[in-house]
Amino acid sequence: MEGIVRVLQAARHLSHAHLAHSEHYGLLVRLLTGIGRYNDMTYIFDLLNQNHRFEMLLRKKVESNFRLKTALLDYIKRCLPGDSEKYNMVALCFSMCREIGENHEGAARTQLKLIESQPWDQRVINLCQSDLLGAIVALPRCYQAFVLSEAYDYSPDWAEVLYQKVILSGDFAYLEEFRLHRPLPASLAGQNLKRLLQHCDDVYTYYKLAYEHKFFDVANMLLQDSKTSSYLNDRLGTR
């Protein structure tokens, strides 16, 4: 018993002081599955989740690992009770169709309660067609705009929405969230998007979006500019 306690203590120290700090997430997963004490090592679940690497737990051959499945589902229920995406991701990996269905039902019930209680929903009921664009722009999150547009079967001028949210309000997180779900409007492609990115105050986000959209002249300019190069090299060197 004393031996496994020492192993667990050493694993915790190694995980926090070295592996997570150096972003060796694959080694964290190997350490967890190698020792196999999942309930004693949920801090690795925490580290992977905090660093957006939770899905790495599902890349190994885990379909037949009942103990890992149980530990993951228990962790999500206890520590991430509102995260339906992760629950479904784990359930799908283990082909748990019934659990996925139950989770969708629970999520739908929760969403209905939120719709009844959240202030923003009070502003989006029984809207006229002429009020929809303004209501969409007023919503703080991009996913809320998608929900509203689908509920009313309405296709807003997304270029105008992005102009209002990103250019005028400076919310580039809104732009990134939008890109996860839909392609950018044609009117924002090419040079128009390049001009849009010039308004981004966050240097790393500016570089990341420029690079992803193949504006290599902008990306290289940021890497060579003495005002931004050191910061970007530090950020890129840690990824």
Side-chain angles (χ1 to χ4, degrees), residues 105-174:
E105 181 182 3
R109 294 181 184 278
T110 300
Q111 190 65 28
L112 285 173
K113 291 180 181 178
L114 289 174
I115 289 175
E116 294 172 354
S117 63
Q118 290 188 2
W120 70 270
D121 291 297
Q122 303 303 316
R123 304 194 303 267
V124 299
I125 298 174
N126 297 325
L127 292 175
C128 299
Q129 188 82 359
S130 59
D131 297 328
L132 288 173
L133 181 60
I136 285 174
V137 171
L139 294 173
R141 293 290 303 278
C142 188
Y143 82 88
Q144 295 172 337
F146 291 149
V147 169
L148 182 59
S149 64
E150 291 173 7
Y152 281 91
D153 193 22
Y154 172 69
S155 297
D157 182 350
W158 288 113
E160 175 63 21
V161 174
L162 291 173
Y163 174 80
Q164 295 278 345
K165 302 297 290 187
V166 180
I167 295 294
L168 298 186
S169 301
D171 188 356
F172 275 81
Y174 193 97

Side-chain angles (χ1 to χ4, degrees), residues 29-193:
V29 175
R30 290 178 61 184
L31 181 67
L32 173 69
T33 56
I35 295 176
R37 297 290 290 257
Y38 303 115
N39 291 330
D40 295 317
M41 301 175 70
T42 54
Y43 57 85
I44 290 184
F45 295 164
D46 288 331
L47 290 171
L48 293 172
N49 182 53
Q50 291 163 8
N51 290 281
H52 310 291
R53 296 295 191 280
F54 195 82
E55 73 282 356
M56 293 183 68
L57 290 164
L58 308 178
R59 291 179 184 174
K60 297 178 73 67
K61 297 293 183 180
V62 298
E63 293 87 347
S64 59
N65 193 330
F66 179 79
R67 290 172 53 243
L68 176 57
K69 176 190 76 172
T70 302
L72 283 170
L73 293 176
D74 180 65
Y75 171 80
I76 293 172
K77 289 177 181 178
R78 287 188 298 104
C79 304
L80 306 170
D83 198 333
S84 295
E85 181 180 354
K86 283 191 176 61
Y87 185 94
N88 288 339
M89 182 169 62
V90 173
L92 186 62
C93 176
F94 291 101
S95 301
M96 299 164 58
C97 298
R98 181 174 62 83
E99 287 81 355
I100 293 173
E102 290 174 350
N103 189 54
H104 279 311
E105 181 182 3
R109 294 181 184 278
T110 300
Q111 190 65 28
L112 285 173
K113 291 180 181 178
L114 289 174
I115 289 175
E116 294 172 354
S117 63
Q118 290 188 2
W120 70 270
D121 291 297
Q122 303 303 316
R123 304 194 303 267
V124 299
I125 298 174
N126 297 325
L127 292 175
C128 299
Q129 188 82 359
S130 59
D131 297 328
L132 288 173
L133 181 60
I136 285 174
V137 171
L139 294 173
R141 293 290 303 278
C142 188
Y143 82 88
Q144 295 172 337
F146 291 149
V147 169
L148 182 59
S149 64
E150 291 173 7
Y152 281 91
D153 193 22
Y154 172 69
S155 297
D157 182 350
W158 288 113
E160 175 63 21
V161 174
L162 291 173
Y163 174 80
Q164 295 278 345
K165 302 297 290 187
V166 180
I167 295 294
L168 298 186
S169 301
D171 188 356
F172 275 81
Y174 193 97
L175 176 63
E176 292 206 66
E177 186 179 356
F178 184 93
R179 291 174 57 250
L180 291 176
H181 301 282
R182 299 183 182 218
L184 288 173
S187 58
L188 286 181
Q191 294 302 313
N192 287 333
L193 177 59

Side-chain angles (χ1 to χ4, degrees), residues 210-224:
Y211 187 86
E212 288 175 354
H213 287 278
K214 297 182 172 57
F215 300 143
F216 297 126
D217 56 331
V218 175
N220 290 332
M221 178 271 292
L222 291 170
L223 287 173
Q224 295 169 9

Side-chain angles (χ1 to χ4, degrees), residues 12-26:
R12 178 182 286 271
H13 174 74
L14 179 65
S15 298
H16 285 280
H18 299 286
L19 299 183
H21 181 71
S22 302
E23 299 190 359
H24 293 313
Y25 303 115

